[in-house]
Amino acid sequence: KQWYQRRVAITAGQIVRTRSPDLLSQCDVVVDVGGVYDPAKHRYDHHQRSFTGTMSSLTDGKLPFDTKLSSAGLVYLHFGRSVLDQLIPEVSDDHKEIIYSRIYEYFMEEIDAVDNGINATEEKPKYHVTTTLGGRVRDLNPPWNETKQDFDGQFERAVAMVGEELVKRVNGMANVWLPALKIVKAAFEKRLDVDSSGQIVKFEQGGCPWKEHLYKLESGADCEGSVKYVVYGDSNGSWRVQAVGVKGEGFASRLPLPEAWRGVRDQELSDLIAIPDCIFVHASGFIGGNKTEEGAMTMAKQALKLANL
């Protein structure tokens, strides 16, 4: 939150860490304390019982996110676009708006949820996740039994760390994720040339982020869930066949590679499925490899055939 303030220069003075009402009344901007949300007066607290705002409710439904905002989310709501204007001025306004929404969904919403005590799932987690952004900020708190606790110094380190990560996410979306759309769109439009079923998409080279773009292209073409496999060249000159994931369901695949192939490698795999130059199929069936493009394509087509698709 303090990093936002510095970036958009909404305060030319110093940051004061206090809960004193007298001191707060003298501040130009108050964040995360004070019990008031009033953007006209630059008051951005979320702890008061009366506050229930979400990105959806505070934008008249323009942004479809229903997680209760923390003060971080409130600052992002009001100043996020100004930050993007400074970080990626070369990006078009339409694309900035896409990034603004995506940064909230894949960066800020987690912060809001954790701050408000909202679990990511209603089920009991199967393992501990301790390396999140919030966890790393928490680790910067001085140890409870340290004689000289430097709260302000550690606070500055936390501000720098979070700011650096936000900048990295924004630049990644602007310079890596968005440019991939053109590649994915071209491959998606040629899918019937790759295989008449339309269930295989081929990229000449892997590495580009394709999943979210593919989901959106399918939705726009009214064929959601139709693509089962993506085939692409890897950095070693081999080829991969990857099962498309089920949107929003973690590691689940629409059509994993056949169970009999999973965990088998090299010549043993080639002998098993009668396709030369096989390298492997992952134990979960989400991905496999072949030394040639033809071999990877044949693996994908044979997997469809075995599934009667």
Side-chain angles (χ1 to χ4, degrees), residues 122-133:
E122 295 180 0
E123 299 178 358
K124 182 179 179 180
K126 294 183 178 180
Y127 53 87
H128 296 288
V129 179
T130 62
T131 56
T132 61
L133 179 62

Side-chain angles (χ1 to χ4, degrees), residues 230-234 236 238-242 279-280 287-290 296:
V230 169
V231 173
Y232 55 87
D234 67 20
N236 296 318
S238 300
W239 283 75
R240 301 290 179 97
V241 51
Q242 182 171 342
I279 300 174
F280 78 100
I287 194 169
N290 194 285

Side-chain angles (χ1 to χ4, degrees), residues 210-265:
W210 52 266
K211 294 180 183 178
E212 295 298 325
H213 294 311
L214 177 62
Y215 296 149
K216 188 169 184 180
L217 288 166
E218 285 183 324
S219 178
D222 197 25
C223 62
E224 291 175 283
S226 64
V227 178
K228 303 302 187 297
Y229 298 115
V230 169
V231 173
Y232 55 87
D234 67 20
S235 59
N236 296 318
S238 300
W239 283 75
R240 301 290 179 97
V241 51
Q242 182 171 342
V244 178
V246 178
K247 184 178 180 181
E249 295 192 23
F251 297 108
S253 298
R254 290 175 176 174
L255 185 65
L257 293 169
E259 195 278 333
W261 303 5
R262 301 175 199 172
V264 187
R265 301 186 59 88

Side-chain angles (χ1 to χ4, degrees), residues 61-185:
K62 294 177 182 177
L63 293 170
F65 307 110
D66 293 318
T67 298
K68 180 184 175 183
L69 295 176
S70 68
S71 293
L74 285 172
V75 174
Y76 184 76
L77 169 65
H78 292 285
F79 300 102
R81 291 182 176 88
S82 297
V83 171
L84 296 182
D85 285 340
Q86 293 195 31
L87 291 178
I88 47 173
E90 72 284 358
V91 174
S92 70
D93 288 344
D94 287 345
H95 282 168
K96 278 181 192 168
E97 197 61 26
I98 292 172
I99 293 173
Y100 175 76
S101 176
R102 189 171 171 83
I103 284 288
Y104 183 79
E105 183 175 4
Y106 290 97
F107 188 82
M108 293 303 308
E109 189 170 24
E110 174 190 335
I111 296 172
D112 286 339
V114 171
D115 200 340
N116 284 303
I118 302 170
N119 291 324
T121 175
E122 295 180 0
E123 299 178 358
K124 182 179 179 180
K126 294 183 178 180
Y127 53 87
H128 296 288
V129 179
T130 62
T131 56
T132 61
L133 179 62
R136 284 179 279 126
V137 169
R138 183 176 59 249
D139 289 343
L140 288 173
N141 282 319
W144 68 271
N145 54 355
E146 192 172 77
T147 304
K148 294 182 179 180
Q149 296 179 322
D150 183 14
F151 283 100
D152 288 340
Q154 292 300 95
F155 171 79
E156 291 294 334
R157 292 182 182 91
V159 168
M161 181 184 74
V162 175
E164 181 180 350
E165 188 149 337
L166 176 61
V167 170
K168 183 178 179 181
R169 293 292 184 93
V170 170
N171 286 335
M173 289 184 188
N175 302 318
V176 179
W177 181 78
L178 265 179
L181 174 58
K182 183 178 181 180
I183 296 172
V184 180
K185 186 174 186 290

Side-chain angles (χ1 to χ4, degrees), residues 18-21 24-25 29-39 41-52 68 71 74:
T18 182
R19 286 187 171 85
S20 166
L24 293 177
S25 67
V29 181
V30 177
V31 177
D32 210 30
V33 291
V36 176
Y37 168 55
D38 186 348
K41 297 180 179 179
H42 287 313
R43 265 48 183 169
Y44 305 100
D45 198 9
H46 71 110
H47 293 99
Q48 56 275 24
R49 291 185 63 178
S50 60
F51 181 78
T52 59
K68 180 184 175 183
S71 293
L74 285 172

